[in-house]
Amino acid sequence: MKLSRPARRASLVVHVAASAGWLGLTLGLLALGITATTTGSAVTVEASVRAMKLFADWLVLPLAFLTLLSGLTLSLGTPWGLARHRWVYTKFWLTLATTTATVFALRPGVDSAVSAVAAGGPLPDAGDVLFGPIVSLSAYLFMTVISILKPWGLTRRGRNLRASAGTPLEARRARQTA
């Protein structure tokens, strides 16, 4: 299944916008997490973790799923394919892993921090509000770099598909350098 040019362009716009939004929200979560762990004010800690909960509950997951879905649509509807190029395959698995980590690590960590702080206690563990955004941000920046550089070449499946298409490698390289 190949996407038409307008559908491909629309999917690409959605994917880039959702990915950029997810990256921006993660930066915001990191700033709030740093604020919560470094401030001496209980009011600021509570405001920071409550804002993190709002972002994590209402914004991060929809953008994560939209990024995953639009990336999957692009990979399956364009010549890049899902399992033809290593960089696409890597991005897919990292997006899936970070989405899963958001559901099972980030949100529960933020929820426990909010519960503890709302009950009048201190922030239970700085890792609850820092590690998720740090790991996510690192993964998103890495995915951005490989989206631009497109390293590593074809997967075994990609090489087999290209070989079965019958286009000699030398002819493709000559077209690319011309």
Side-chain angles (χ1 to χ4, degrees):
M1 170 187 86
K2 295 297 176 205
L3 295 172
S4 66
R5 185 173 189 208
R8 187 186 74 244
R9 288 178 143 192
S11 296
L12 183 61
V13 167
V14 168
H15 184 67
V16 170
S19 300
W22 198 10
L23 177 66
L25 280 171
T26 302
L27 281 170
L29 287 170
L30 181 59
L32 290 167
I34 290 170
T35 301
T37 58
T38 59
T39 187
S41 166
V43 173
T44 304
V45 171
E46 185 172 359
S48 296
V49 295
R50 284 187 184 274
M52 288 182 79
K53 180 168 175 44
L54 181 69
F55 283 1
D57 286 349
W58 291 99
L59 299 173
V60 174
L61 272 181
L63 283 175
F65 287 124
L66 186 58
T67 300
L68 186 61
L69 181 64
S70 61
L72 195 56
T73 301
L74 282 169
S75 68
L76 295 175
T78 64
W80 290 109
L82 180 60
R84 291 182 185 175
H85 298 268
R86 286 188 182 100
W87 72 271
V88 175
Y89 203 58
T90 302
K91 274 188 63 178
F92 170 74
W93 286 109
L94 278 173
T95 302
L96 191 59
T98 52
T99 301
T100 303
T102 297
V103 171
F104 295 109
L106 175 71
R107 290 183 69 212
V110 170
D111 288 346
S112 71
V114 169
S115 297
V117 171
L123 192 63
D125 183 11
D128 287 344
V129 295
L130 284 178
F131 294 144
I134 289 170
V135 170
S136 295
L137 184 60
S138 301
Y140 306 150
L141 290 175
F142 177 72
M143 287 187 275
T144 301
V145 168
I146 65 174
S147 293
I148 294 167
L149 300 179
K150 298 173 179 47
W152 309 315
L154 297 170
T155 62
R156 180 179 296 151
R157 174 177 159 67
R159 286 190 302 271
N160 291 340
L161 287 171
R162 188 169 280 176
S164 69
T167 308
L169 181 61
E170 295 77 27
R172 284 191 310 277
R173 285 192 178 148
R175 277 184 288 187
Q176 290 174 350
T177 58

